[in-house]
Structures are given as structure tokens and as C-alpha cells.
Amino acid sequence: MSLTNAPELTPERREFYERIDTRSITPLWTVLSSVVTPEPKSACQSHLWHYDDLRKFLIEAGGLITAKEAERRVLVLENPGLRGKTSITTDLYAGLQLVTPGESAPAHRHSQSALRLVLETDEGAHTTVNGERTPLKYGDFVITPPWSWHDHGNDGDGPVIWLDGLDLPMVSLFDASFAEELGVDQQEITRVSGDSLARYAANMLPVGYEARGQASPVFNYPYDRARSALETLKAQGEIDPCHGIKLQYVNPVDGGPAMPTISTFLQLLPKGFRSVSYRSTDATIFAALEGKGTTTIDGKAYDWGPRDIFVVPSWKGVFHEAEDESVLFSFSARAAQEKLGYFRERRGNG
Ligand code: GTQ
């Protein structure tokens, strides 16, 4: 037996395989090397979507269907190696959502965790989660915990576009998807805007607070706060060779990831920085928020600028070169992999 080669197919064996096949039985030794692999082997491919291209199609979709009719007017970023699977990586989904002026994406809830990264916005853009409405500003990272009511709206004059990330493939893997509609466009607002930031994101928690679920009670992580943290750290000059200056968004209650299954990060790459190669088991989706640069994934170079989105498959070596000072948001299923004990990473080329 070998983990890399299947045993020879003899006429006797073939006859046996065919006979048991009719009874829904398969010999493990014919498939073992493709399911228990010495290292990750994925159909997921590296890819980059230019924002200008995506935006053009999304605006076109805006003329074809309303947010209300679509429920969510989203163009899915489907991995070229995973076509038909509504996935950007084996474990995650990503899409670009458009809400035009005056529209609402109706209130619903589902088992899946969702994140939003705001890429284009307007004064009147908002999302409401569990009774609290938050304005959406450029670069804001907003979460929708599993089974929480959420609706989106745009009371402004221009289109609002954000990147959605959901753990949809994971929930499908476990056949654990539930969803329901509230039956109204917008849920009732029961808390003032900024309530959760004041309660949970001021380095304090309400006395006697007990966590509900595993998601962070903070649901909008404003870009200006995160960006200014990176700016302060830049002055310290402690640049990680693989990541530049990289922070993880956390749940302030336990210090863990903001969502149970999805980890989220913001990193600054100083102008001229060239990172050392890095690989990890968590296939990662990057969205550039500022600057421009080139990311090389398994030997293939991708040039990016603001709002471009690219995906790095599991265990492919990746390094970044920043032509200008740049900020990258990223998300992956690292949170789930760490809980399950699968996560591995390797720094450098070794
Ligand atoms: O905004 O609730 O991209 O339910 C996919 C499914 C967004 C959402 C998506 C969803 C949503």
C-alpha cells in the first residue's frame, strides 16, 4: 500500500470492483491516495477579479433585477476551479452585493455567518443586525452572526457595493442550513446606532455580561479605527517578514475570531515592502483597500489596486510586493480549521 499510488488494476480486481459497485460499495485502496493526500490537493485555483470589471456587471444587474426581487442582488465570485459550486474556496463563498438608492434588501436570517466589507458607499447606506442599524463607510467590516435578522438599505443618492463573505460551503457540507424571511423589508430598530460599539468595543463589557453564541457582539468594526491602529504600529517599525503589519479582528469577549468559522484580518504593507513566502491551510480571500502591488501565488503574479479581490488556495506559496503603501483586508476559514485542529502554516520556502 502506498499513499501516493493506487494498486494495479488486474482483470480479477476489475471484475470484483464492478460487482460490488452495483451494491454501493467501493474498495478504499483505489481512492485512498486521492482522499488521504500527503499535503493539501485542491481544485481551488488562484484568481483575481478587477473591481472595475465586477462593478460594470453589477451595475448592469441593477438594471435587470431589483434587490427585493432578487432577495440579495449579488454576483458570486466563483472560483474558476470550482464552477457550479457557488464557492470562492472549498470552504467559503464570496460575492459582490449592490443596493441602489431607495432600495432595501429584505430582512431574513440564516444559519450561515456573513461578513461585509464596504467597497463603495454613500451617506445613506446602512445595514441592520438584530435591531441595531449601522451606517456603512468605506472599508468597514460588518458581521452578521448565524441566525441573526439582517436587512440592508440605501437612503442615499449613489450605489452601495460591498463584498460578502459567507461560510456557505461549510454549512452545506454539514447539511445544516436553515433560513427564514421576516416578512418585512426592514426590521424594527430597537437600539441606537453605535450601541454595540459602546457596549462591547470600548475595552469594556457590561458588568455580568454573558456571551451568547460564538460570534462577536460587536458587529461593525469601523475602518477608521482599524486603519489608525495600523498607522500607529507602522511607526514602531516592527514589520513581520511574511505579513507586514497584520492584525486580526477579534471577539472582545474571548479574544477569538469575530465569527465562529471565519477569521478576518487587516494588514498594512509599507511602500516597497516585499514579503517572504508563506503558505497555510486556510485558503484566503484578499481585498485591497488602499495602494497597489503584486501578489505572487504559486509562481503566478497578480497585480492589484484598490477594491480588487483575489484568492489564494490552501497550501500555495504566496508573497506580496507593495508598490505603494497598501492595506489588504482578508478572510479565511482559519477560525473553523483551528477549532477542528486542521490549521497549519509554513513561513519561508522550507
Ligand atoms: O446579505 O444576507 O451574498 O443571505 C448571500 C446570501 C448575502 C445577505 C449573500 C445572503 C446575503
Side-chain angles (χ1 to χ4, degrees):
M1 211 336 276
S2 157
L3 278 176
T4 47
N5 296 309
E8 191 194 340
L9 184 62
T10 63
E12 295 84 353
R13 288 174 182 174
R14 182 199 292 274
E15 186 278 326
F16 172 70
Y17 300 164
E18 286 172 359
R19 207 154 20 92
I20 64 172
D21 182 61
T22 63
R23 313 282 284 270
S24 299
I25 302 170
T26 287
L28 174 63
W29 57 90
T30 63
V31 291
L32 185 61
S33 61
S34 61
V35 290
V36 180
T37 58
E39 55 179 54
K41 211 163 105 183
S42 177
C44 178
Q45 294 173 15
S46 61
H47 193 73
L48 179 142
W49 290 264
H50 284 291
Y51 184 73
D52 289 350
D53 216 27
L54 290 168
R55 184 185 196 279
K56 200 176 62 208
F57 291 128
L58 200 50
I59 297 295
E60 196 179 333
L64 288 174
I65 191 161
T66 62
K68 200 178 169 89
E69 192 189 348
E71 179 86 15
R72 294 295 185 262
R73 190 200 290 108
V74 177
L75 293 181
V76 179
L77 308 187
E78 210 169 59
N79 191 286
L82 303 169
R83 295 309 313 274
K85 295 195 188 313
T86 327
S87 301
I88 190 164
T89 62
T90 312
D91 42 29
L92 291 171
Y93 154 101
L96 222 57
Q97 181 159 176
L98 166 70
V99 185
T100 57
E103 276 194 321
S104 296
H108 71 193
R109 62 179 176 179
H110 40 65
S111 309
Q112 291 80 4
S113 294
L115 70 85
R116 333 275 168 202
L117 178 75
V118 183
L119 295 178
E120 198 171 316
T121 191
D122 190 273
E123 281 295 309
H126 54 80
T127 192
T128 307
V129 177
N130 286 336
E132 183 182 337
R133 176 169 287 187
T134 186
L136 298 171
K137 304 221 171 62
Y138 183 73
D140 283 359
F141 157 58
V142 177
I143 70 166
T144 306
W147 209 240
S148 33
W149 293 113
H150 54 288
D151 52 81
H152 319 299
N154 180 358
D155 304 329
D157 305 319
V160 175
I161 298 175
W162 62 78
L163 173 67
D164 280 324
L166 282 85
D167 58 1
L168 217 135
M170 275 186 266
V171 177
S172 297
L173 171 71
F174 292 117
D175 279 337
S177 176
F178 291 89
E180 62 186 24
E181 288 170 309
L182 187 58
V184 293
D185 278 0
Q186 299 191 349
Q187 65 187 284
E188 195 187 335
I189 294 172
T190 55
R191 296 181 178 279
V192 298
S193 190
D195 182 274
S196 65
L197 270 182
R199 252 177 234 274
Y200 312 112
N203 298 322
M204 291 180 274
L205 290 173
V207 172
Y209 175 75
E210 281 179 36
R212 260 170 273 126
Q214 294 180 40
S216 170
V218 178
F219 80 105
N220 187 349
Y221 293 76
Y223 187 54
D224 57 0
R225 284 199 189 185
R227 182 66 181 85
S228 94
L230 291 177
E231 196 62 27
T232 302
L233 294 178
K234 187 177 78 176
Q236 293 296 113
E238 289 161 20
I239 313 292
D240 181 274
C242 293
H243 305 301
I245 301 162
K246 188 168 183 176
L247 297 175
Q248 180 175 193
Y249 292 95
V250 298
N251 176 347
V253 179
D254 60 8
M259 283 170 289
T261 48
I262 309 176
S263 295
T264 43
F265 308 90
L266 194 72
Q267 74 196 100
L268 184 145
L269 309 175
K271 182 179 168 72
F273 176 71
R274 186 187 199 278
S275 72
V276 164
S277 183
Y278 174 80
R279 67 183 61 204
S280 57
T281 50
D282 58 329
T284 302
I285 299 95
F286 287 87
L289 288 172
E290 292 179 34
K292 64 176 172 177
T294 303
T295 294
T296 303
I297 307 164
D298 202 22
K300 203 166 162 188
Y302 295 92
D303 295 334
W304 44 259
R307 302 179 172 99
D308 291 342
I309 297 159
F310 57 94
V311 56
V312 179
S314 168
W315 216 242
K316 298 295 185 202
V318 56
F319 65 88
H320 310 290
E321 292 164 280
E323 199 175 315
D324 291 333
E325 178 175 292
S326 300
V327 177
L328 299 175
F329 172 88
S330 59
F331 68 100
S332 77
R334 178 169 175 166
Q337 291 194 4
E338 283 183 334
K339 287 190 175 81
L340 298 171
Y342 302 149
F343 179 75
R344 281 203 206 189
E345 63 184 335
R346 188 187 290 164
R347 295 167 64 90
N349 286 314

